[in-house]
Amino acid sequence: QSALTQPPSASGSPGQSVTISCTGTSSDVGGYNYVSWYQQHPGKAPKLMIYEVSKRPSGVPDRFSGSRSGNTASLTVSGLQAEDEADYYCSSNAASNIVLFGGGTILTVL
Amino acid sequence: QLQLVESGGGVVQPGGSLRLSCAASGFTFSNYGMHWVRQAPGKGLEWLAFIHNDGSIKYYPDSVKGRFTISRDNSKNTLYLQMNSLRAEDTAVYYCAKIFPGSGWTFDCWGQGTLVTVSS
């Protein structure tokens, strides 16, 4: 039951695109479709941004997109804006009916 | 509108117990599974427990199995987390979260969290 692996930090300039990876195994990210991404601003609760690998909940800008290749899921933020600066966490369900989170990635808008 | 409000946090001594509550409003609570997730100071998110909408099914990670118990009272629209044998490493903000419709392992609405501090 190891956590998923995310880079500790990522950055980009306004208007640019940035991609955050989330690496697991065939027993979690690569084997199930319940991969999600959450945005968390300081002192706030997390907010769902992507679910089931690539679906966007109502109200989330289409600048946010998700994908997966093998055991690695990715979140891409296009057209970076200042308000996108936050912590981002991936999650996946896994064998034995558990949920794993990634360690989180701090996204900085330069 | 949909709202989740946690309560019951505070300071507790190592080895002690605490019960957290999560009051739900703005949706039909009895129709949705619920989760507890925590976040230690300056750290990432950790999933703690899931309960089916009718309370019949519960899941936990090995890290808290046997110490933490999730439950719910659908007549009171309230979710609970009973925590026993608390340790310093249980110090965290505890969130309740509602599942996304049709996607039980996705958290689509979170409370504001309640802080639990385990210290002597």
Side-chain angles (χ1 to χ4, degrees):
Chain A
Q1 299 182 353
S2 300
L4 308 176
T5 300
Q6 295 182 234
S9 63
S11 63
S13 299
Q16 289 186 331
S17 294
V18 64
T19 296
I20 300 170
S21 62
C22 171
T23 301
T25 69
S26 58
S27 296
D28 39 71
V29 173
Y32 298 90
N33 285 330
Y34 292 113
V35 178
S36 304
W37 289 91
Y38 301 89
Q39 177 192 66
Q40 186 179 35
H41 286 108
K44 302 294 187 182
K47 175 187 175 183
L48 177 65
M49 304 302 285
I50 296 288
Y51 70 101
E52 292 180 12
V53 179
S54 60
K55 298 178 181 178
R56 250 187 334 272
S58 173
V60 173
D62 59 6
R63 303 185 292 103
F64 291 85
S65 62
S67 63
R68 179 178 58 188
S69 177
N71 298 334
T72 298
S74 297
L75 172 72
T76 298
V77 186
S78 305
L80 269 174
Q81 298 183 4
E83 60 262 36
D84 299 333
E85 186 162 293
D87 296 339
Y88 290 83
Y89 294 91
C90 64
S91 75
S92 172
N93 68 312
S96 302
N97 294 304
I98 62 170
V99 177
L100 299 175
F101 280 101
T105 297
I106 301 171
L107 175 61
T108 302
V109 180
L110 301 171
Chain B
Q1 87 240 29
L2 195 156
Q3 191 172 18
L4 298 170
V5 179
E6 300 93 339
S7 61
V11 180
V12 59
Q13 292 190 337
S17 298
L18 208 58
R19 189 177 83 156
L20 306 182
S21 300
C22 168
S25 60
F27 65 102
T28 305
F29 180 68
S30 59
N31 285 353
Y32 293 94
M34 298 289 295
H35 294 265
W36 285 100
V37 176
R38 71 182 176 186
Q39 186 170 33
K43 302 296 184 182
L45 301 171
E46 180 185 12
W47 173 72
L48 297 176
F50 164 80
I51 186 167
H52 198 255
N53 67 306
D54 64 4
S56 61
I57 297 173
K58 303 174 185 181
Y59 298 124
Y60 306 90
D62 288 345
S63 57
V64 304
K65 197 176 295 183
R67 289 197 306 129
F68 290 9
T69 301
I70 189 172
S71 62
R72 64 191 297 159
D73 186 336
N74 286 344
S75 68
K76 296 181 178 179
N77 290 341
T78 302
L79 175 73
Y80 302 101
L81 183 68
Q82 177 68 43
M83 304 185 295
N84 299 328
S85 303
L86 285 164
R87 310 161 180 163
E89 54 264 37
D90 295 317
T91 294
V93 174
Y94 286 71
Y95 296 100
C96 61
K98 168 187 165 292
I99 69 165
F100 191 86
S103 188
W105 300 107
T106 303
F107 318 114
D108 81 330
C109 179
W110 301 61
Q112 86 291 348
T114 187
L115 176 63
V116 172
T117 302
V118 183
S119 173
S120 54

